[in-house]
Amino acid sequence: MTFRLTALADPADSPFSHRLAWLASAPDGTPLGSAFLRLFDSSEQAHLCELALDVHPAERRRGAGSALLAAAVAAARADGRGALLAQAVEGSPGDAFLSARGFERALVLDFARLDLTAQTSTGGTAAAGPPSGYRLVSWLGSCPEEWLPAFTRSRSAMDDMPMGDTGFGPLRWDEARVLAAAKAVADRGELLHTVAVLESATGDLVGFSELVLPADRSGDGQHYGTAVQPAHRRRGLARAMKAEAIRWTRAEHPAITGLLTDTADHNTGMLAVNRALGYRSTHRSVEFRLPL
């Protein structure tokens, strides 16, 4: 099949990465597929980049996907990246495409959803408050100034998050990065809701859970990170924070019909929390890695 690749200017702006983009089109200009290559700007991830590649189902197996992949790989190598990450639903055509082109399975994610419309669903929130010695605090949008230093420190609870063989190491969070991440959500018109757990004896924040609601405040919301500092785990704190996010969503945003979450398939602790709260698996997705 004859087609052409066109490099595109990407208007999406991120404080932590930038993207390159290509469009594959037929001679008459009909779009066939696209590729977006995200190049991470943080020093910890400067060796990595991430590819999102899509070809219209009717145009697959005719070379457009391979050409888009070749363009992305060449750009990644030219930028000095050491590995390319890409994700596909397990068992999908994308899974087969990446597997056949030298990508290695680096991580499997379990995607789950809590149905907030089911009459029998309570979100597993009963008796899910924090144990003695802890209390929950929450806010909308950017972290309040009074909590910002402690919240920034609490982000280190994500440092040992299971990432398989992706090579995606821990991020270095400072107050500027925390505020920039919240601003990015607000700039999209979405609503960021954060629940944090405070240790009463020290006044420090030892865990957090973030939930993002869509701009029109309807449909499904998406959990972002949930983490507890290692010294405070196995006390029900993650469940308490997620349960509070569910309670708040039900009370304040009844047009939200479900909550989505994704968890590494070997993160047994968080998978158990999700099941206890009523989340049910919808599909599995594979994070692939291509050494460059």
Side-chain angles (χ1 to χ4, degrees):
M1 178 182 181
T2 302
F3 55 85
R4 66 173 181 267
L5 294 186
T6 304
L8 305 176
D10 178 27
D13 186 29
S14 166
F16 314 121
S17 64
H18 62 284
R19 295 197 308 178
L20 304 178
W22 297 267
L23 174 69
S25 57
D28 65 358
T30 302
L32 306 176
S34 62
F36 290 87
L37 182 68
R38 183 173 298 281
L39 300 163
F40 298 106
D41 295 330
S42 301
S43 59
E44 304 94 330
Q45 281 76 43
H47 60 295
L48 291 176
C49 53
E50 189 173 55
L51 176 65
L53 191 157
D54 289 290
V55 175
H56 190 281
E59 308 296 344
R60 291 172 182 165
R61 307 180 71 85
R62 302 169 72 178
S66 294
L68 288 165
L69 175 59
V73 167
R77 285 176 172 154
D79 198 63
R81 304 289 163 150
L84 175 66
L85 303 178
Q87 193 173 123
V89 174
E90 191 172 52
S92 70
D95 182 340
F97 175 86
L98 296 172
S99 297
R101 285 161 179 79
F103 282 80
E104 304 165 350
R105 293 167 69 96
L107 179 69
V108 177
L109 296 170
D110 180 84
F111 283 72
R113 181 178 185 270
L114 175 66
D115 183 2
L116 295 179
T117 68
Q119 294 298 317
T120 57
S121 171
T122 64
T125 56
S132 176
Y134 299 92
R135 67 182 178 91
L136 300 180
V137 296
S138 62
W139 58 83
L140 297 176
S142 294
C143 180
E145 185 175 349
E146 64 177 305
W147 296 118
L148 186 57
F151 181 54
T152 301
R153 291 192 300 272
S154 77
R155 305 289 312 198
S156 66
M158 297 287 286
D159 286 355
D160 61 351
M161 179 176 66
M163 293 300 296
D165 297 322
T166 60
F168 204 99
L171 294 174
R172 185 176 298 114
W173 288 86
D174 56 22
E175 293 182 8
R177 187 181 189 118
V178 168
L179 295 175
K183 182 178 183 300
V185 174
D187 288 347
R188 298 195 300 265
E190 298 171 339
L191 180 63
L192 173 63
H193 176 254
T194 303
V195 180
V197 60
L198 179 139
E199 185 183 24
S200 302
T202 64
D204 206 9
L205 298 182
V206 298
F208 66 93
S209 183
E210 295 173 314
L211 176 68
V212 173
L213 302 187
D216 63 1
R217 311 296 189 261
S218 66
D220 288 349
Q222 176 70 58
H223 288 284
Y224 278 28
T226 296
V228 175
Q229 292 285 355
H232 300 271
R233 291 174 184 168
R234 302 180 185 276
R235 302 180 188 185
L237 299 179
R239 176 173 173 173
M241 290 187 292
K242 276 197 166 182
E244 170 58 20
I246 295 167
R247 185 209 61 77
W248 172 83
T249 303
R250 287 184 179 280
E252 302 296 332
H253 296 279
I256 297 296
T257 54
L259 298 179
L260 307 175
T261 189
D262 59 273
T263 308
D265 73 341
H266 55 287
N267 187 350
T268 56
M270 191 59 69
L271 289 172
V273 167
N274 293 337
R275 285 193 297 271
L277 290 171
Y279 290 79
R280 297 295 176 258
S281 294
T282 58
H283 65 281
R284 285 157 54 95
S285 188
V286 181
E287 187 80 31
F288 286 92
R289 185 177 187 271
L290 179 69
L292 299 176

